[in-house]
Amino acid sequence: MVATTGLPAPEISRPRSLLVGTMFSCAAAFVFFCSVIGVYILERAEARDEGAEWFPRDVIELGPSGFIFWTLILSVFTVQWAVQAINADDRTNAYVALALTGLFGAAIFNQMWFIINDTGFALAADNAQFLFFVVNGTFIVFLIAAVVFVALTTVRALAGQFGPRRAEAVSSAAVAWNTVVFMWAIVYYLIYITK
Amino acid sequence: MTMTDSPPAADTALAAISPRVVGLFDALTTTDHKRIGRLWLRSGLLGLLAATLLGVVLTIENSNSSPDDIFGGINSFFQYFNLYRFGLVLLVVAPLFVGLATVVVPMQVGATNIAFPRAAHGAVWLFMIGATITVVSVVSDGGWGALDGVTGTERDAIALTLVGTGLVIFALLMASVCIATTVVSLRTSGMNLLRVPLFAWSMLVATSVWLLTLPVALGNLAFIYFDLRGGPRIPDETFGIAEGSHAIYAQIAWLVEQPQIYAFAIPVLGVLGTIAPVVAKRRHAQHVVAVALIGLFGLLSVGGWSQPWFQGNNYDEKFVFIIFGLFAVIPVFGSIGAVADTIVGRSSDSDTDSAVSSDPGASGESGFAGLLSVYGLAAIGAALLLLAGTVAGLARVIQPWDLGDRTTETSVMNLVLFSAVAAAIAGIWFWAPKIGGHELAVSTGRLVVLDIVAGAVLLGGADFVSGFFEAPAFGYHVVGSSAPLPSEPSNQGFVEVMNVVGTIGAVLIALGVLGVFAAIAKAMRSSDGVDDNPYGGQTLEWTTSSPPPPGNFSEPPERVVSEAPLLDTVNENGEEA
């Protein structure tokens, strides 16, 4: 018989506070995003009701923004790959998946920079161009925040802080990342497809 | 043998440092939720003092026919009037409740600390920086727009006001995430959401509503700022920063008007629901109902949708706005009814509860006696003020009365916000042993409560009555109008009398606030100890010492089986189990 009386008490399961806090933060960020995109929709509808041109014709191309969309779709798979890998205690795959997600983030930032320069829009030109900058700027801010979150999670993963019983931070990073992807899906449809 | 003690030189070096320097270092680096909460409370109380003194000056000026006497012009008056409104919401009420929650909520749910303590600490300093920037920029001719044209310098100051306000809102959002997460994920064993103490529950509801509405204000501010700093500056109400425009105020005024204003008073119902069973010395008779009513009040206070960009300037004529205004009274009235049931003791299980009360002599009478405690008086006063505020809000949405754009709006704001102030004072008096390890003076406290409640009734009541005589709500009157000055009310003489009544109310409130500072100063000088549970509290924060140790509890709380864990530890003979 094995004596158990001398063993320490089992570790209390870690509360999922980071995941809950991330969800609250993402909800607030999404409300902020909706308040910005809501103004865009209203102003555009008002301009079209008056028969005015919203964006100059043929300035906004669908290609570069489509690249961003599909890159983000890929990143959804990589970030979920990281969650699955860390839950399976497969560290190598987790590192690769997190690094790829961060890399996709950097690529999207680069592509955004190209789009903004390519359009040649000016902040002070008119309502449409002003709103173009504000909506895309809002997305870039949240993209940067998500990339930083993923980068910090990667560093902590490399330090061996996560495993099957402590995968909360990776799941939280995935929630934040997926929120940003959803934001871009809205921006892509409203600004780049329906213009 | 291995030496593990600290070398003596280190102790000497620490002892040589001034206690003030150590205190400052602690304030800058602490992750203890009680210290962080005290920083919030000090900020909120300082803001309260400044706002009430500003309120006195504004009401004195308002009693005159000309706004030039004290402020030197309509523009300056407009700026300080807005500072009073936004300050009372963002720099007073919100930080007071955040401070109380930061101290109390982790203990109430049996946690050793608040969730994300470093973020909570960062939030309070960000708040103080933002608040300072906001106030300084308004004093430097900034503010939320101007009436008589904007010069280049004023434009810079306005931009600074927008940055300061944005920082304040961002800090409140950070603190909200910490508080909400604490309630959701750090509850002790056995404490499901229906067993969460009502104050913690109300803060979960309030912070959730703030997280879903304040970002809309942040979005508004971002738009206005970027337009101000290089946008198209369309000369209409589009983004609200055209030359001479007052429309910045118009676009974020929804923050200080119904229904959003109710969101800052949600914790009033939580304070009431927590304190009432203590003064009644029995369980809350309708705990689950109270939980539902607080949730309903939260739903009816979501006001981000009423932003003028989304609804237009006539949003107050829309069906949703009217429904929100009509129904907001119900949860407040219901919560007061549930508390009355608790205090009068007509609940079906009141006999059982009084039998297991920690006070064997507990009865309905002792409940009435407990109402005369400072926190009891303040909690009841706050609830009645909130009821008055929601009733005024109900009158505001009755279309035939046409009370929009009149002082009725100011009345709703003052009644609701000072109900929140009274509730915060109830909380400060009630939880003082846990906040600072002292009890606050009873005699001073009763005067404070009397002053603030009576002052709020006079201030809000006078504006409410004036609204029926077409007295215009300053600022709102000018939206969409070319006239920079308020129009004349139908009975100027009567409205001027009401303005004097309002001034008396503002003076009473200011005296009450000075009383709060006097009571706190007296308590801080006192060396008297205080019991762990001096008032017969029923929730977990009263199981620890006063003041609580780091980590809050010397040993983890036992499994919770009801919303009043301390009553569960007493057996039928009134003895500790």
Side-chain angles (χ1 to χ4, degrees):
Chain A
M1 194 180 79
V2 179
T4 56
T5 49
L7 296 175
E11 187 184 352
I12 297 173
S13 62
R14 192 163 177 264
R16 295 167 69 83
S17 52
L18 183 57
L19 189 58
V20 172
T22 305
M23 286 177 173
F24 276 119
S25 305
C26 287
F30 193 69
V31 170
F32 178 92
F33 175 77
C34 287
S35 75
V36 172
I37 209 82
V39 175
Y40 177 88
I41 294 168
L42 289 171
E43 292 292 322
R44 187 180 66 175
E46 195 175 310
R48 287 182 175 170
D49 286 348
E50 292 169 357
E53 186 183 56
W54 185 240
F55 287 130
R57 196 173 293 274
D58 298 330
V59 170
I60 296 182
E61 295 177 18
L62 205 54
S65 54
F67 294 150
I68 291 179
F69 178 73
W70 291 111
T71 309
L72 280 169
I73 294 296
L74 272 179
S75 72
V76 169
F77 286 99
T78 56
V79 80
Q80 289 308 127
W81 174 21
V83 174
Q84 187 274 337
I86 208 76
N87 277 317
D89 206 14
D90 182 353
R91 291 175 180 278
T92 310
N93 269 290
Y95 300 152
V96 172
L98 284 169
L100 272 177
T101 308
L103 190 67
F104 285 148
I108 292 159
F109 183 80
N110 181 53
Q111 190 76 327
M112 285 298 304
W113 199 261
F114 168 77
I115 288 175
I116 287 172
N117 283 322
D118 189 47
T119 56
F121 283 171
L123 190 67
D126 57 28
N127 274 13
Q129 295 185 27
F130 173 75
L131 285 163
F132 176 85
F133 275 103
V134 174
V135 172
N136 282 293
T138 302
F139 171 75
I140 289 172
V141 168
F142 288 129
L143 174 71
I144 291 171
V147 168
V148 169
F149 197 168
V150 168
L152 288 174
T153 306
T154 308
V155 170
R156 290 180 64 189
L158 286 168
Q161 292 187 13
F162 307 131
R165 303 173 98 184
R166 299 190 71 176
E168 188 192 3
V170 182
S171 302
S172 305
V175 167
W177 190 266
N178 291 333
T179 306
V180 170
V181 174
F182 187 54
M183 285 178 186
W184 179 258
I186 296 170
V187 172
Y188 180 52
Y189 178 76
L190 284 173
I191 292 188
Y192 295 92
I193 293 181
T194 64
K195 297 185 175 61
Chain B
M1 191 180 79
T2 307
M3 288 292 291
T4 55
D5 290 337
S6 303
D11 292 340
T12 313
L14 274 176
I17 299 173
S18 159
R20 286 191 176 183
V21 174
V22 173
L24 181 64
F25 184 75
D26 278 355
L28 288 169
T29 59
T30 185
T31 52
D32 180 5
H33 69 99
K34 299 174 286 292
R35 283 176 170 271
I36 298 167
R38 284 198 291 269
L39 285 172
W40 277 108
L41 285 170
R42 283 176 195 146
S43 306
L45 286 171
L46 202 62
L48 178 62
L49 181 65
T52 49
L53 292 176
L54 178 60
V56 171
V57 179
L58 284 167
T59 50
I60 289 172
E61 182 74 288
N62 207 29
S63 300
N64 301 325
S65 55
S66 164
D68 295 343
D69 297 339
I70 299 175
F71 292 95
I74 190 80
N75 210 30
S76 186
F77 182 70
F78 180 73
Q79 287 159 352
Y80 283 98
F81 182 73
N82 289 337
L83 178 62
Y84 171 75
R85 284 184 156 195
F86 290 114
L88 210 48
V89 172
L90 298 175
L91 309 184
V92 178
V93 169
L96 282 176
F97 280 136
V98 166
L100 269 180
T102 304
V103 175
V104 174
V105 165
M107 288 188 278
Q108 281 199 324
V109 299
T112 54
N113 204 350
I114 195 167
F116 317 122
R118 283 188 288 270
H121 191 204
V124 70
W125 285 102
L126 193 63
F127 171 83
M128 286 193 268
I129 292 168
T132 307
I133 289 174
T134 304
V135 173
V136 168
S137 62
V138 172
V139 172
S140 312
D141 275 343
W144 295 268
L147 291 177
D148 57 358
V150 179
T151 64
T153 312
E154 286 172 347
R155 184 182 293 280
D156 291 341
I158 288 172
L160 207 54
T161 307
L162 298 175
V163 170
T165 314
L167 287 177
V168 166
I169 291 175
F170 189 76
L172 290 172
L173 290 172
M174 280 174 70
S176 296
V177 169
C178 299
I179 293 166
T181 305
T182 302
V183 181
V184 170
S185 65
L186 297 186
R187 280 172 282 132
T188 191
S189 172
M191 186 180 280
N192 59 35
L193 280 178
L194 283 178
R195 292 175 185 162
V196 168
L198 286 175
F199 177 65
W201 169 252
S202 70
M203 284 309 302
L204 174 62
V205 174
T207 50
S208 300
V209 173
W210 296 353
L211 284 167
L212 294 177
T213 53
L214 292 184
V216 178
L218 213 50
N220 295 167
L221 292 171
F223 261 120
I224 298 165
Y225 178 83
F226 288 118
D227 197 22
L228 192 69
R229 285 302 194 199
R233 296 178 187 172
I234 304 300
D236 58 19
E237 75 281 4
T238 308
F239 299 120
I241 34 59
E243 296 293 339
S245 177
H246 47 263
I248 293 176
Y249 163 75
Q251 284 167 20
I252 54 172
W254 62 271
L255 265 181
V256 294
E257 291 173 4
Q258 66 184 100
Q260 182 64 33
I261 196 75
Y262 299 145
F264 299 98
I266 295 168
V268 173
L269 301 182
V271 170
L272 177 72
T274 303
I275 288 178
V278 175
V279 300
K281 296 188 185 302
R282 67 181 75 234
R283 285 176 196 273
H284 196 296
Q286 307 287 348
H287 179 80
V288 176
V289 174
V291 166
L293 289 171
I294 290 170
L296 177 63
F297 192 56
L299 280 176
L300 292 169
S301 65
V302 174
W305 55 269
S306 63
Q307 210 283 336
W309 262 317
F310 305 138
Q311 299 292 332
N313 284 335
N314 60 342
Y315 70 90
D316 57 344
E317 294 171 7
K318 297 199 171 173
F319 180 72
V320 181
F321 181 80
I322 294 168
I323 290 295
F324 271 49
L326 290 176
F327 282 93
V329 180
I330 294 173
V332 179
F333 190 75
S335 296
I336 292 174
V339 162
D341 191 13
T342 305
I343 291 172
V344 175
R346 287 178 183 165
S347 63
S348 58
D349 59 348
S350 60
D351 293 338
T352 310
D353 288 335
S354 58
V356 298
S357 166
S358 58
D359 179 357
S363 68
E365 282 185 9
S366 60
F368 286 116
L371 281 178
L372 295 177
S373 61
V374 176
Y375 48 85
L377 284 173
I380 297 292
L384 294 176
L385 281 176
L386 184 58
L387 183 64
T390 50
V391 167
L394 185 149
R396 157 78 177 80
V397 301
I398 294 175
Q399 294 299 307
W401 289 354
D402 195 21
L403 293 173
D405 302 351
R406 298 187 188 167
T407 49
T408 316
E409 286 175 351
T410 323
S411 162
V412 174
M413 186 199 75
N414 277 323
L415 286 168
V416 170
L417 291 183
F418 281 109
S419 83
V421 168
I425 286 168
I428 289 170
W429 246 265
F430 184 59
W431 284 299
K434 304 300 171 187
I435 296 170
H438 302 287
E439 281 190 89
L440 298 180
V442 175
S443 53
T444 314
R446 285 176 180 151
L447 278 174
V448 164
V449 174
L450 188 68
D451 274 352
I452 290 180
V453 173
V457 167
L458 292 178
L459 187 62
D463 275 346
F464 182 70
V465 175
S466 295
F468 284 94
F469 292 90
E470 299 174 21
F474 188 89
Y476 219 86
H477 162 77
V478 293
V479 172
S481 161
S482 57
L485 289 167
S487 61
E488 294 293 317
S490 62
N491 188 335
Q492 182 72 38
F494 182 78
V495 169
E496 283 181 5
V497 171
M498 287 295 103
N499 285 341
V500 173
V501 172
T503 306
I504 295 169
V507 170
L508 280 175
I509 291 170
L511 289 173
V513 172
L514 288 172
V516 174
F517 278 83
I520 292 172
K522 186 179 173 186
M524 288 176 73
R525 283 199 304 271
S526 166
S527 58
D528 296 343
V530 58
D531 292 342
D532 292 352
N533 188 4
Y535 312 127
Q538 302 170 0
T539 40
L540 288 178
E541 73 271 26
W542 300 106
T543 60
T544 187
S545 60
S546 300
N552 294 337
F553 303 99
S554 53
E555 54 190 49
E558 291 178 15
R559 184 179 171 80
V560 168
V561 294
S562 80
E563 77 285 355
L566 268 67
L567 296 187
D568 300 326
T569 62
V570 179
N571 65 25
E572 292 182 359
N573 298 320
E575 298 166 344
E576 291 283 339

